[in-house]
């Protein structure tokens, strides 16, 4: 549970998988979601989306298509996700492969979550391995990136002489 101070919450993440690059555009799709429920609700919405779209982040929606599993799979599992899919610009291969074992990952993406300020919301982060259990996937959350910006905060009003004034401030 979290209580935001602003009307939007943010979290930066990268999704990585061993399904990359061999199984992009196939039935072997790994996916994950950042699901948030508004106050007093049990309905969750996924905010792990390809930037600028309503497409969920997965090994099929973001990949380099270098090792396509055939034209039919490319059309059925990638292009069918929507215009621009797969979103190559958000993919990066793990060319060094000496620190983590995932063969590919997304670039750092940002979940933008509309929220109600000063009210309790519930977040669940989930990962799924669809059609096989052979290759692992993971999520990396950027340190200190889970934030909620205050739109406007006035802490003190001062007159032209620099002295604090007790006047009420009205914003219209």
């Amino acid at each position: 549970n979290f209580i935001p101070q602003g009307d939007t919450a943010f979290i930066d993440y990268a999704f990585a998988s061993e399904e990359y690059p061999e199984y992009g555009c196939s039935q072997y799709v790994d996916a994950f979601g950042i699901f948030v429920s508004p106050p007093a609700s049990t309905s969750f919405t996924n905010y792990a989306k390809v930037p600028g779209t309503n497409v969920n982040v997965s090994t099929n929606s973001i990949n380099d298509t270098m090792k396509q599993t055939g034209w039919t799979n490319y059309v059925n599992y990638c292009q069918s996700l929507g215009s621009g899919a797969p979103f190559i610009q958000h993919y990066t291969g793990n060319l060094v492969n000496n620190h983590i074992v995932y063969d590919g990952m997304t670039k750092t993406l940002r979940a933008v979550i509309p929220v109600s300020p000063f009210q309790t919301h519930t977040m669940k982060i989930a990962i799924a391995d669809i059609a096989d259990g052979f290759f692992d996937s993971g999520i990396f959350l950027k340190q200190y990136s889970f934030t909620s910006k205050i739109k406007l905060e006035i802490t003190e009003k001062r007159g032209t002489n620099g002295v604090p004034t007790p006047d009420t401030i009205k914003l219209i």
Side-chain angles (χ1 to χ4, degrees):
N1 291 332
F2 67 98
I3 300 173
Q5 292 186 9
D7 65 354
T8 308
F10 306 94
I11 189 166
D12 296 340
Y13 64 90
F15 170 68
S17 182
E18 276 292 296
E19 299 284 356
Y20 290 129
E22 298 87 359
Y23 297 101
C25 299
S26 76
Q27 70 272 23
Y28 305 111
V29 57
D30 288 3
F32 96 103
I34 298 172
F35 301 94
V36 176
S37 174
S41 175
T42 57
S43 177
F44 286 83
T45 301
N46 181 13
Y47 291 98
K49 302 289 185 178
V50 175
T53 75
N54 196 33
V55 177
N56 296 328
V57 171
S58 72
T59 53
N60 281 350
S61 63
I62 298 177
N63 64 62
D64 67 357
T65 70
M66 287 175 50
K67 297 194 177 201
Q68 296 172 13
T69 55
W71 179 252
T72 302
N73 280 353
Y74 177 72
V75 170
N76 290 340
Y77 296 109
C78 283
Q79 279 191 333
S80 65
L81 294 173
S83 178
F87 300 91
I88 300 167
Q89 68 273 25
H90 301 296
Y91 174 82
T92 186
N94 184 8
L95 303 176
V96 178
N97 206 12
N98 66 349
H99 291 67
I100 60 170
V101 297
Y102 301 114
D103 289 342
M105 64 194 72
T106 67
K107 294 178 179 175
T108 301
L109 303 176
R110 171 169 276 189
V112 178
I113 307 161
V115 292
S116 299
F118 307 106
Q119 296 187 36
T120 302
H121 297 70
T122 302
M123 179 188 306
K124 295 181 181 185
I125 298 176
I127 191 164
D129 193 348
I130 301 168
D132 74 349
F134 299 116
F135 298 107
D136 293 333
S137 292
I139 304 160
F140 296 93
L141 303 177
K142 185 175 180 181
Q143 186 176 18
Y144 307 119
S145 73
F146 185 43
T147 59
S148 175
K149 304 285 187 202
I150 298 173
K151 288 186 90 172
L152 177 65
E153 180 178 345
I154 299 174
T155 58
E156 185 176 66
K157 181 181 176 185
R158 292 182 177 263
T160 55
N161 60 0
V163 176
T165 60
D167 296 346
T168 303
I169 298 172
K170 293 184 179 181
L171 300 175
I172 298 174

